[in-house]
Amino acid sequence: NAGVTQTPKFRILKIGQSMTLQCTQDMNHNYMYWYRQDPGMGLKLIYYSVGAGITDKGEVPNGYNVSRSTTEDFPLRLELAAPSQTSVYFCASRKTGGTYGYTFGSGTRLTVV
Amino acid sequence: QKEVEQNSGPLSVPEGAIASLNCTYSDRGSQSFFWYRQYSGKSPELIMFIYSNGDKEDGRFTAQLNKASQYVSLLIRDSQPSDSATYLCAVQLPMEYGNKLVFGAGTILRVKS
């Protein structure tokens, strides 16, 4: 049982490049989330999904896109990378219903130069 | 904008003392409240959750909730140097907001030996 797996762990992008951050979970969780965390700041929600085929915007969606074709995978796409997207990105998942905390992946540290 | 406020710290306590971490939230409809611990360079780890007014104890940790005052706290008894970390308060929004978690910016705790 691997939990939530994120790849890559580190990445340096040049301004204007694109990339996909991968997230997969093996706990059969319906709910999945993408957050970013800037230094000294809390976690800001980018996008979330309540199940395969369903996604919705969070607090800071601009510059990002997501898809959810399977229960397991929830990739985050960055188009035309900008320095403002330099951050640590966390993927998380949780069970449906009730009071359940999130299980977080180990994070992706992205630098845009 | 749903807000969660925490004192950023750092909060410094001597080894063996009680550390008291506080959090206030803006949405009165919030039902569930979580405390996460985050070591530097690591992902957040769930340590406590609470959804009823009063206290909830788990080992050296006690979470306290006062919905009338919109206040959540975390007490750490017999603080150890290994407790030094950033503590994130998270509030689960009501169903009409997708039950999303909103995070505070975190309180840095330093336990001095």
Side-chain angles (χ1 to χ4, degrees), chain A residues 4-20:
Chain A
V4 179
T5 302
Q6 289 184 240
T7 56
K9 294 192 183 303
F10 303 93
R11 182 72 184 269
I12 298 175
L13 275 183
K14 293 184 178 180
I15 294 172
Q17 288 185 321
S18 300
M19 75 164 294
T20 299

Side-chain angles (χ1 to χ4, degrees), chain B residues 4 6-7 12 14 24 27 31 34 36-37 40-41 43 45 47 58 60 73 75 77-78 93 98-99 102 106 108 113:
Chain B
V4 177
Q6 294 182 256
N7 188 323
S12 292
T24 59
D27 192 315
Q31 298 294 319
F34 302 82
Y36 284 83
R37 177 176 61 200
S40 181
S43 58
E45 171 193 11
I47 54 173
D58 183 1
R60 295 187 296 112
S73 65
L75 301 178
R77 290 181 299 281
D78 188 24
L93 297 181
N99 287 144
V102 177
I108 298 170
S113 57

Side-chain angles (χ1 to χ4, degrees), chain B:
Chain B
Q1 186 80 353
K2 309 301 179 184
E3 295 183 346
V4 177
E5 301 287 341
Q6 294 182 256
N7 188 323
S8 62
L11 172 66
S12 292
V13 299
E15 184 176 356
I18 295 175
S20 177
L21 305 163
N22 305 313
C23 171
T24 59
Y25 59 95
S26 63
D27 192 315
R28 285 193 171 276
S30 300
Q31 298 294 319
S32 303
F33 308 86
F34 302 82
W35 283 99
Y36 284 83
R37 177 176 61 200
Q38 187 175 26
Y39 292 114
S40 181
K42 301 295 185 182
S43 58
E45 171 193 11
L46 179 66
I47 54 173
M48 288 285 289
F49 73 89
I50 186 168
Y51 51 84
S52 299
N53 274 330
D55 296 359
K56 179 182 178 182
E57 186 174 319
D58 183 1
R60 295 187 296 112
F61 299 99
T62 299
Q64 298 175 318
L65 174 61
N66 184 327
K67 289 187 177 180
S69 301
Q70 295 175 243
Y71 178 89
V72 192
S73 65
L74 178 70
L75 301 178
I76 305 175
R77 290 181 299 281
D78 188 24
S79 295
Q80 300 298 307
S82 59
D83 294 326
S84 298
T86 298
Y87 289 81
L88 301 172
C89 173
V91 175
Q92 187 171 32
L93 297 181
M95 179 79 75
E96 58 264 37
Y97 298 104
N99 287 144
K100 298 188 291 290
L101 288 189
V102 177
F103 287 82
T107 298
I108 298 170
L109 174 66
R110 293 179 181 156
V111 181
K112 298 182 177 181
S113 57

